[in-house]
Amino acid sequence: MKAFAKEFKEFISRGNVMDMAVGVIMGGAFTAIVNSLVNDILMPLISLLTGGLDFSALCIVLGEGEGAATLNYGAFISAIINFLLIALCIFIMIKSMNKLHFKKEEEEAAPTEKECPYCKSKIAIGATKCPHCTSDVE
């Protein structure tokens, strides 16, 4: 039992597991923000454009009476809009991060070697004499 507990402790304290946990928590918070954006801002605007149509109230009644089941396709439309907005936000974030990552790589790629004008060998960028042909290099 001690070996199992030790193995579990090592697993849970790894960096990637903690990163995943933080990502799941942040994803939940982000989803709440997007749901509010869709339900409280976008859906009323769409409703205004469609002549006062309330998407969340759209449904098909399956049966008769007060307790009849309903097929709530308006909620489904809201869920699709939520998904598309979340996907758009993630796409923009990843695209921005990739841009920053590529800029860092380009900045770090400063030359460390140059070519000797006489023998065309690769020499250190700060060299004043070629180690291959012993010519003076500017």
Side-chain angles (χ1 to χ4, degrees):
M1 188 65 177
K2 281 187 177 182
F4 179 78
K6 182 181 176 187
E7 188 177 348
F8 179 71
K9 182 181 175 186
E10 288 175 9
F11 169 77
I12 204 72
S13 64
R14 286 186 193 159
N16 55 357
V17 172
M18 297 305 244
D19 291 342
M20 183 181 69
V22 169
V24 167
I25 292 168
M26 293 300 293
F30 186 69
T31 300
I33 291 169
V34 172
N35 282 336
S36 177
L37 173 70
V38 170
N39 295 330
D40 301 331
I41 296 173
L42 292 180
M43 284 306 191
L45 292 174
I46 292 172
S47 177
L48 182 66
L49 294 174
T50 59
L53 184 62
D54 181 15
F55 278 98
S56 61
L58 294 177
C59 64
I60 297 173
V61 179
L62 304 173
E64 297 178 15
E66 195 173 305
T70 58
L71 185 67
N72 301 321
Y73 66 93
F76 181 69
I77 292 171
S78 294
I80 290 173
I81 292 171
N82 283 353
F83 170 77
L84 292 173
L85 283 173
I86 290 171
L88 177 68
C89 291
I90 290 172
F91 172 74
I92 290 170
M93 285 184 348
I94 290 174
K95 191 170 176 141
S96 301
M97 293 178 108
N98 284 343
K99 249 185 202 176
L100 290 174
H101 180 68
F102 288 130
K103 280 185 181 178
K104 283 184 182 179
E105 285 181 1
E106 289 173 3
E107 289 173 3
E108 292 173 3
T112 58
E113 294 182 333
K114 63 182 177 182
E115 187 176 89
C116 173
Y118 302 103
C119 69
K120 305 297 182 193
S121 298
K122 296 286 184 191
I123 59 175
I125 195 84
T128 57
K129 191 176 242 355
C130 177
H132 304 286
C133 68
T134 66
S135 299
D136 289 329
V137 181
E138 294 179 13

